[in-house]
Amino acid sequence: MRQLYISGSWTASASDDSIDVVNPATEEIIDRVPAGSPDDVEAAAAAARKAFPAWSETAASERGKLLAHAADLLKQRSDEIAKTIATDMGAPLGFALKVQTLMPAGVLASYARLAESHPRESRVGNSLVVKEPIGVVAAITPWNYPLHQIVCKVAPALAAGCTVVLKPSEVAPLAAYALAEIFDEVGLPPGVFNLVSGRGPVVGEAMAAHPEIDMVSFTGSTAAGRRVAALAAETVKRVALELGGKSANIILPDADLSLAVKVGVANCFVNAGQTCSAWSRMIVQRDQYDEAVHLAVEAARGYRVGDPFDESTKIGPLVSAAQRDRVIRYVNRGQEEGARLVAGGTERPHERGYYVEPTVFAAVEPGMTIEQEEIFGPVLTLIPYTTEDNAVEIANDTKYGLAGAVWAATEEHAVAVARRLRTGQVSINGGRFNPMAPFGGYKQSGVGRELGEHGLEEYLEVKSLQL
């Protein structure tokens, strides 16, 4: 069984309990990690607090050098780590390499540069405004992008001069261990980075409530985010939340319908639909609706479901039996409420593994459960609209506001509509994801931003010196 990483050493947990790590493609146990306890959180928080003064005063160039070394090692070991991610959370190997491993390596390298280049002082009249690291940071991360979401929190925190206690998802924790080994190898000072595995209601809640932790950064469900915020409020610590989404893909009548549908289906199904920013609602003008449904069904049929290590696989298994059952419940609910199943469904495509067929619903009306709630699986809903105003109204009419897309004949037209959407990111005519741009949501999709300079700012306090 694995151990915890506290104060620069691999350490046994204070708890004797453990958590099985299951391969979702085979349903076999592949590893075990400690089910950490509040005592483990106490030890990690104490180590991080002790390390903070020296780390925060370490030259930014030195912090950047250590992060750059870690990024280089992550790239060197990318094949191995991608195989680990494909095994413990089910992402197809090519996606696990390019998106789940190499992209985080690039993000880590970006913070190695920002550690030194990001300005920490400015003048406002007779005041010198300085930015300082906030302190000890708790990072609580999900299973769907098990390395990327860690790097999005840990890298800027370390670059800022903060120390970190990480709780990775217990469902897919092995990439976190690979990163901890890298940080240990590059020589991060003891206590600067600490890893405590365990369950959210035990370890995560102890971290959120701990008085020696100054900030908690959480990615996960909106319900869990509310709980984290409530616990953190008791000690008035800063909270950053990256939560759920139900993102809209608006296709305007003058857009290239075939391209917009093809790319929209791909975005919805990426990572088996287990992406908080997935465009899971395709909003199409009523006169083009039937054609869009036909195109979506044809596209969905091209997504082979299977073994993550098979090069022909486009959709791997969902991460767990619980996640597969959740998605199936939503598919059944959609049919019960009158939506029309036009692709996929509840049949198991393989005898073993937590697989779900790529699924498409037509005849979806605003307000249906599958149109309002985050399913977190390969399920696409198509909603018709009448006017442009109606499309914007449908897009904005959920509690979420994380991402979205607009397609039009011109960039100017698409941007004009995108400006009306209450959401944190909008892709214009298929504009690709930018890992240096701020990522985060409006409404119940979260608080704060990750990535780039905006992500670094989350971990800094502001002080003004009146001269």
Side-chain angles (χ1 to χ4, degrees):
M1 187 175 77
R2 306 278 181 141
Q3 293 184 307
L4 309 179
Y5 186 75
I6 298 175
S7 195
S9 299
W10 292 103
T11 306
S13 171
S15 167
D16 293 329
D17 192 12
S18 65
I19 300 169
D20 293 337
V21 181
V22 177
N23 180 335
T26 65
E27 305 183 34
E28 296 172 342
I29 296 171
I30 55 173
D31 211 332
R32 288 182 175 85
V33 297
S37 69
D39 287 341
D40 296 321
V41 174
E42 183 67 37
R49 175 59 61 195
K50 182 179 179 181
F52 174 67
W55 180 248
S56 64
E57 294 171 7
T58 297
S61 59
E62 181 61 23
R63 294 198 300 266
K65 182 179 178 181
L66 288 167
L67 292 178
H69 188 189
D72 287 342
L73 289 179
L74 187 52
K75 291 176 186 175
Q76 291 172 25
R77 299 174 189 176
S78 59
D79 287 339
E80 174 189 346
I81 293 172
K83 290 175 183 176
T84 296
I85 293 172
T87 301
D88 81 342
M89 68 78 56
L93 183 58
F95 184 81
L97 176 62
K98 182 178 180 181
V99 177
Q100 297 269 22
T101 308
L102 290 177
M103 185 169 69
V107 171
L108 183 54
S110 76
Y111 281 113
R113 297 187 293 270
L114 284 169
E116 187 171 7
S117 66
H118 188 67
R120 297 293 183 94
E121 297 185 2
S122 61
R123 287 294 297 263
V124 179
N126 71 309
S127 298
L128 176 65
V129 179
V130 298
K131 296 176 180 179
E132 301 174 342
I134 194 168
V136 177
V137 173
I140 304 173
T141 57
W143 47 258
N144 60 326
Y145 289 86
L147 180 60
H148 177 67
Q149 289 301 137
I150 290 172
V151 169
C152 285
K153 301 178 189 304
V154 172
L158 296 179
C162 300
T163 55
V164 175
V165 180
L166 167 68
K167 190 203 89 68
S169 169
E170 68 274 23
V171 178
L174 302 185
Y177 278 85
L179 184 63
E181 291 167 358
I182 286 172
F183 282 150
D184 184 69
E185 185 172 332
V186 303
L188 280 186
V192 169
F193 171 82
N194 307 273
L195 184 158
V196 180
S197 60
R199 298 180 176 90
V202 178
V203 172
E205 293 200 3
M207 289 166 62
H210 200 286
E212 287 296 322
I213 289 176
D214 302 294
M215 173 181 174
V216 57
S217 180
F218 170 84
T219 296
S221 71
T222 297
R226 292 193 199 100
R227 177 62 177 165
V228 166
L231 290 167
E234 292 298 317
T235 49
V236 198
K237 57 172 57 74
R238 184 179 296 180
V239 175
L241 303 172
E242 200 270 280
L243 307 176
K246 192 68 179 176
S247 300
N249 178 16
I250 297 177
I251 304 176
L252 298 172
D254 59 354
D256 181 334
L257 182 64
S258 179
L259 177 63
V261 170
K262 179 182 177 180
V263 176
V265 169
N267 183 283
C268 181
F269 291 165
V270 72
N271 208 35
Q274 299 169 129
T275 301
C276 54
S277 57
W279 308 340
S280 53
R281 295 185 298 148
M282 186 177 290
I283 302 175
V284 185
Q285 209 276 337
R286 191 172 293 277
D287 290 344
Q288 298 177 319
Y289 185 77
D290 289 344
E291 183 181 359
V293 170
H294 172 75
L295 290 169
V297 170
E298 289 300 306
R301 287 174 178 162
Y303 282 77
R304 184 181 182 278
V305 178
D307 182 354
F309 289 88
D310 186 329
E311 290 185 0
S312 66
T313 292
K314 288 190 175 182
I315 295 181
L318 299 184
V319 76
S320 65
Q323 187 63 23
R324 177 198 61 201
D325 294 346
R326 167 191 168 91
V327 172
I328 294 302
R329 285 196 298 271
Y330 274 110
V331 173
N332 287 329
R333 182 69 176 272
Q335 295 177 88
E336 291 165 4
E337 292 186 358
R340 181 162 54 92
L341 187 67
V342 291
T346 60
E347 295 295 323
R348 295 186 64 174
H350 301 287
E351 288 186 10
R352 298 188 69 186
Y354 309 129
Y355 294 97
V356 172
E357 291 281 5
T359 298
V360 179
F361 275 105
V364 178
E365 296 296 331
M368 284 184 175
T369 301
I370 59 170
E371 192 268 338
Q372 287 286 307
E373 297 185 11
E374 184 176 45
I375 297 173
F376 228 57
V379 180
L380 175 66
T381 61
L382 283 91
I383 306 105
Y385 71 88
T386 52
T387 65
E388 194 170 286
D389 287 345
N390 181 222
V392 171
E393 179 184 14
I394 292 169
N396 286 335
D397 190 25
T398 76
K399 65 183 180 182
Y400 298 111
L402 187 56
V406 179
W407 298 79
T410 66
E411 181 177 291
E412 181 182 17
H413 187 190
V415 168
V417 173
R419 289 181 182 276
R420 300 174 64 188
L421 301 184
R422 299 288 295 169
T423 191
Q425 305 82 36
V426 184
S427 170
I428 302 299
N429 286 335
R432 69 182 185 276
F433 179 74
N434 178 3
M436 292 301 293
F439 182 88
Y442 286 28
K443 299 186 284 185
Q444 292 190 36
S445 283
V447 177
R449 293 295 181 268
E450 293 185 329
L451 297 173
E453 292 188 357
H454 292 81
L456 183 60
E457 289 283 347
E458 294 290 334
Y459 300 92
L460 296 172
E461 287 280 23
V462 179
K463 177 189 291 181
S464 62
L465 307 178
Q466 277 52 266
L467 306 179

